[in-house]
Amino acid sequence: MLVDKPETTPEWDAIIVGGGPGGLSAALWLGRCRRRLLLVDAGGGRNAVAHGIHGLLTRDGLTPEELRRLGRQELEPYGVEYRSSTVTAARRSTRGFEVTLETGELLASRALVLATGVRDRLPRIDGFEAFYGATVHHCPYCDGWEHRDQK
């Protein structure tokens, strides 16, 4: 449903919401296709507490934040603009898409890529968060090798 709001002229070919591996990869491909892009990322991410990312060829053991930093650095030659922000709303318009940032700024694009990933629903157990990412892990494939043969 379209809302009665003034539409803005699309400034971007695409706005990518989410700067993790999926959003960075989308930005790399679209940037190489010479699209005018904005990558919006609030930081953090599902694996923010991990000591390292595992199973990613040539990047095994890299911290999540370092992977994101290197990814943004790789996008620079392609002119991808990056903003550290949260998208609070997105809507289809007659000209494409509009997103609203947490600052209230309204941005327009011809296309919208949602690369927000997933969010784990952690159990509500007292003290759980203190151990999450240290001795409690959500993925045996990501962290199993480092904790093999341990209780």
Side-chain angles (χ1 to χ4, degrees):
M1 180 171 122
L2 297 180
V3 181
D4 290 309
K5 283 169 104 177
E7 290 193 7
T8 58
T9 302
E11 178 179 358
W12 310 97
D13 289 322
I15 295 174
I16 300 170
V17 181
L24 291 167
S25 294
L28 179 61
W29 281 108
L30 290 171
R32 289 181 57 81
C33 292
R34 303 188 71 183
R35 302 294 184 238
R36 182 157 161 67
L37 303 176
L38 175 64
L39 176 65
V40 181
D41 184 44
R46 178 183 190 206
N47 62 355
V49 299
H51 298 281
I53 294 172
H54 301 288
L56 185 58
L57 192 60
T58 77
R59 298 293 185 224
D60 193 58
L62 198 66
T63 65
E65 186 49 42
E66 182 66 1
L67 178 72
R68 292 164 95 93
R69 187 192 69 74
L70 289 171
R72 290 189 302 266
Q73 186 178 24
E74 282 185 31
L75 298 176
E76 289 174 6
Y78 304 107
V80 176
E81 186 172 326
Y82 171 79
R83 291 204 197 166
S84 177
S85 187
T86 298
V87 172
T88 58
R91 75 177 194 97
R92 180 97 165 107
S93 72
T94 57
R95 295 183 181 146
F97 294 89
E98 294 179 345
V99 299
T100 305
L101 301 184
E102 62 191 336
T103 61
E105 184 179 6
L106 183 65
L107 304 170
S109 64
R110 291 181 24 231
L112 179 63
V113 177
L114 299 177
T116 56
V118 298
R119 186 165 304 229
D120 293 311
R121 295 174 74 189
L122 303 177
R124 294 183 180 177
I125 300 171
D126 287 339
F128 182 85
E129 288 187 25
F131 296 99
Y132 189 64
T135 57
V136 174
H137 306 281
H138 70 271
C139 179
Y141 296 104
C142 296
D143 300 307
W145 177 262
E146 287 69 26
H147 301 283
R148 67 195 176 279
D149 302 325
Q150 297 177 18
K151 290 184 179 184

